[in-house]
Amino acid sequence: NFNPYLQIDLGKGIYAKSGKELDFIKEDNLEKIKDKKPFFSDIIISKVTGKPIFLLCAPIKKDGNVVAYLVARDGAEFLNELTDKIGYGKTGYAYVVDSTGKIVAHLKKDLINQGLNDFNDSMKKAVEKMISNESGVENYYNSQNKKVYGGYNKIDNSNWTLIITAPEMEVM
């Protein structure tokens, strides 16, 4: 149920659904556009609804060449629906961070939008490793200062990392 949002005509400009030209796009998304592959944006807060959304950018080709991108938006609530159903052991849970380490989905909704500067040193170091690598396991103290193991994996074609944690006692 993606909603058409805007079109990026390479070399011509960025146009909203209304046809109005936009004069901005995040620099990291411009780099991805140069790769000429579909991609998901980071989670952003909609200025219209105030809710978290993400953009899906897909190339439009003509004669085998990328001539534009179609950009669609959708609500990011599905990430919370996903993480709310995942866990390990009795008290383990899942959460998703973006490429900056900001929590974009979490069982504890009050932790959403917290970033590296909000984490204790142990969690900050672990999340920094997690967003720098494809997959693995880290042992760290979470936001409640409980020692946990966090298994993580990058989510394909996105800037997001899924992390599944469980208290050390439940893993050992």
Side-chain angles (χ1 to χ4, degrees):
N1 292 344
F2 284 98
N3 297 309
Y5 185 57
L6 55 90
Q7 181 174 331
I8 301 170
D9 288 320
L10 301 180
K12 295 181 183 174
I14 302 169
Y15 295 88
K17 183 179 173 185
S18 65
K20 180 180 176 186
E21 185 171 7
L22 304 175
D23 61 355
F24 68 94
I25 190 166
K26 287 179 72 174
E27 193 66 34
D28 58 336
N29 289 334
L30 284 175
E31 286 302 313
K32 290 178 193 163
I33 287 170
K34 291 177 188 173
D35 289 340
K36 300 181 180 179
K37 296 177 184 174
F39 67 91
F40 291 99
S41 72
D42 280 335
I43 304 291
I44 56 177
I45 302 300
S46 168
K47 292 181 180 177
V48 176
T49 66
K51 294 183 178 182
I53 62 168
F54 68 95
L55 306 176
L56 170 61
C57 304
I60 299 170
K61 295 183 179 182
K62 182 177 181 181
D63 300 324
N65 297 314
V66 176
V67 295
Y69 274 82
L70 178 62
V71 182
R73 75 172 189 280
D74 199 8
E77 292 86 10
F78 82 94
L79 286 171
N80 276 319
E81 292 169 11
L82 172 73
T83 57
D84 289 355
K85 297 175 185 174
I86 298 174
Y88 182 89
K90 291 183 179 182
T91 62
Y93 56 90
Y95 62 102
V96 176
V97 296
D98 69 12
S99 61
T100 67
K102 181 175 73 174
I103 296 173
V104 296
H106 200 290
L107 182 64
K108 297 177 181 171
K109 305 302 181 249
D110 60 318
L111 297 179
I112 295 173
N113 287 322
Q114 286 192 0
L116 293 174
N117 292 332
D118 300 309
F119 303 156
N120 63 45
D121 287 341
S122 176
M123 186 171 172
K124 180 178 180 175
K125 288 177 187 173
V127 171
E128 285 173 337
K129 286 182 186 177
M130 293 174 181
I131 61 178
S132 299
N133 297 305
E134 286 297 314
S135 62
V137 176
E138 293 294 325
N139 185 250
Y140 62 97
Y141 289 92
N142 67 12
S143 58
Q144 290 84 38
N145 254 356
K146 294 180 181 173
K147 197 164 191 179
V148 297
Y149 279 90
Y152 63 93
N153 197 58
K154 296 269 189 209
I155 299 174
D156 290 341
N157 298 317
S158 76
N159 294 328
W160 311 326
T161 300
L162 174 65
I163 304 165
I164 302 173
T165 67
E168 185 176 52
M169 314 170 28
E170 290 183 28
V171 175
M172 296 299 179

